[in-house]
Amino acid sequence: MPKVYDVVDEKNQMKRRKRLRRLMLIMLAAAVVTGLYFTRDKWYNKLRGIGEQYRTIVNSGQLAEGNFPIEVSSGADYQLSLTDRKMILLSDTYTYYYDTDGALKKRRQHTYTNTVLRTAGGRALLYEQGGNDLSVEDEDQVFYTKTYAKKQILFARLSEEGYAAVVTTSDNYNCELKVYDKRGKVIYGRQCIERVSDLSFINGSKGCVLGYISAENGQLVTKVQRISFTEKQEHWTSPGLNTLGLNVCGYESGAFVIGADACGYVDDNGQISSYYSYDGEYVAGASEDGNSAVIVNNDDRRKYVMALFSDENAEALEIELDEPLIDVTIYEDLAYVMCQGKIMAYDFRGGLRSIADVSDSYTGFVRSDDHIFLKGYNKIDRIDYES
């Protein structure tokens, strides 16, 4: 007997299959959009410049008025930093807190000498280099102070989460490291046989990378060590990079060492993955989330170079500029460089993204979301800056 087909039932089934496919496509699209939204910090900045790589934004360089310029009585000895959309300025006697429009929010006197300012997470860390005292504060309060009666502070660092690391001299070792939580309670201590030159918090302040200075074959080298604050043993210690390390900048998969005559990367296994030797005098360097930049002036050859590194395995991308270089920083996947008369922003493919003419009397700058703050000898100016 032949099989009988119900045409109406078949059409209904086809409609149900179409609706089901449509529903599945909608659910898949919703899942993709949701995933892109929650991971936007990882991909948005990389895609932002697509289609604009040949477009250079020309900023006016016009100085802001109103509260600017901010006059600084201590001359060139002041220090300026930016954190959580506020400026913190340290003079020889006061710490000043300003908003980004230059309005003074708080002034607090300090009694430190040879004072160093570090900022992160809206807080300020003040300490006496070679002295005994430090404090962690913001514009509203002093969170805690520390005094090391029989030891001298070599340096201290502050994390975005409010943790502080302090390296001091030691009676029986080369130096000692103590790490404090945001309330000033000790959470980690370490006695170091070799001299620690710098450190950088990693992994949400659950650990750090340390830079050690030592001598090998009559030459100063820098080793990098990764530690966790919940473990006694270090994760790894790198071989020595042939340079006197000035800064060690940790990130998720390794560290970048900025040295006096060379720089280089250490990967997440503690091995040296790249090395770059300067052809001239080191001026400044910066590193953020694995992107790094150094600027070098060779006055004898009239050669002024910014070297860019997009990751630990990339070779240096050298950008030669016409004037001596003054300062460099990294902000949202762009390298900002100041030379005499200009500030320029480059992406890490070497594309010039923006430029502004400025006076050649400035000694450095700080980048914020919408502005660049220019450091003069006894004043601070501001310009609007679009990248």
Side-chain angles (χ1 to χ4, degrees), residues 326-372:
I326 298 170
D327 199 5
V328 67
T329 192
I330 295 174
Y331 186 82
E332 292 188 348
D333 294 330
L334 294 177
Y336 293 81
V337 60
M338 172 185 278
C339 64
Q340 291 182 357
K342 286 182 174 60
I343 292 180
M344 294 162 285
Y346 287 86
D347 60 36
F348 282 83
R349 300 182 299 274
L352 178 60
R353 294 285 296 274
S354 55
I355 187 170
D357 290 330
V358 297
S359 165
D360 61 2
S361 63
Y362 296 109
T363 60
F365 69 98
V366 178
R367 178 71 166 108
S368 75
D369 288 342
D370 305 310
H371 314 294
I372 283 181

Side-chain angles (χ1 to χ4, degrees), residues 249-288:
C249 310
Y251 61 102
E252 184 177 355
S253 59
F256 182 71
V257 177
I258 302 173
D261 53 11
C263 61
Y265 280 94
V266 175
D267 64 22
D268 57 357
N269 294 313
Q271 300 303 308
I272 299 172
S273 57
S274 67
Y275 181 83
Y276 175 79
S277 182
Y278 310 148
D279 180 18
E281 182 180 355
Y282 167 77
V283 178
S287 184
E288 183 177 284

Side-chain angles (χ1 to χ4, degrees), residues 9 31 35 67 98 138 140 239 258 295-296 304 310 344 365 367:
D9 185 57
N67 294 315
Y98 296 89
D138 66 7
D140 297 321
I258 302 173
I295 54 175
V296 177
Y304 314 109
S310 58
M344 294 162 285
F365 69 98
R367 178 71 166 108

Side-chain angles (χ1 to χ4, degrees), residues 18-204:
K18 288 181 179 179
R19 285 197 297 267
L20 182 60
R21 284 196 297 268
R22 189 181 299 113
L23 178 62
M24 292 179 65
L25 288 173
I26 292 173
M27 293 176 64
L28 178 60
V32 171
V33 171
T34 301
L36 290 173
Y37 176 79
F38 284 107
T39 60
R40 63 191 185 280
D41 291 340
K42 296 182 180 180
W43 59 263
Y44 175 74
N45 287 329
K46 295 179 181 179
L47 295 181
R48 185 178 58 178
I50 292 180
E52 297 181 341
Q53 56 266 47
Y54 300 109
R55 174 174 172 256
T56 300
I57 297 172
V58 179
N59 293 276
S60 70
Q62 182 176 355
L63 300 180
E65 298 180 350
N67 294 315
F68 291 96
I70 297 173
E71 301 293 337
V72 185
S73 60
S74 58
D77 292 333
Y78 74 88
Q79 298 171 55
L80 175 68
S81 187
L82 187 76
T83 175
D84 285 5
R85 297 193 63 83
K86 58 186 168 188
M87 293 187 297
I88 303 178
L89 187 152
L90 178 73
S91 73
D92 53 354
T93 53
Y94 286 93
T95 307
Y96 300 90
Y97 294 84
Y98 296 89
D99 64 20
T100 53
D101 290 325
L104 180 62
K105 298 299 184 182
K106 183 74 174 184
R107 183 184 73 167
R108 183 178 293 120
Q109 189 171 16
H110 67 80
T111 58
Y112 299 160
T113 57
N114 198 21
T115 314
V116 179
L117 169 69
R118 291 282 175 166
T119 66
R123 294 185 172 194
L125 167 64
L126 281 67
Y127 69 92
E128 291 182 306
Q129 188 169 26
N132 311 104
D133 298 304
L134 67 80
S135 67
V136 176
E137 59 188 62
D138 66 7
E139 67 270 30
D140 297 321
Q141 61 180 310
V142 176
F143 295 104
Y144 61 87
T145 62
K146 299 291 179 183
T147 298
Y148 304 88
K150 297 182 179 180
K151 300 175 182 178
Q152 293 180 331
I153 300 172
L154 300 178
F155 68 87
R157 299 291 182 261
L158 190 63
S159 77
E160 289 293 330
E161 292 76 21
Y163 287 55
V166 184
V167 176
T168 66
T169 56
S170 172
D171 293 335
N172 301 315
Y173 294 85
N174 193 299
C175 58
E176 293 184 12
L177 164 66
K178 284 188 177 180
V179 180
Y180 302 91
D181 66 14
K182 61 178 60 178
R183 293 177 295 274
K185 179 182 178 182
V186 176
I187 62 166
Y188 181 82
R190 189 178 190 89
Q191 296 172 319
C192 306
I193 297 174
E194 295 176 312
R195 175 193 168 191
V196 178
S197 61
D198 193 23
L199 66 82
S200 177
F201 285 94
I202 57 173
N203 196 22

Side-chain angles (χ1 to χ4, degrees), residues 194-195 212-223 239-245 259-263 272 275-278:
E194 295 176 312
R195 175 193 168 191
Y212 288 101
I213 302 296
S214 60
E216 292 181 1
N217 301 320
Q219 182 176 357
L220 288 175
V221 300
T222 302
K223 299 177 182 178
L241 282 84
N242 292 328
T243 187
L244 172 63
D261 53 11
C263 61
I272 299 172
Y275 181 83
Y276 175 79
S277 182
Y278 310 148

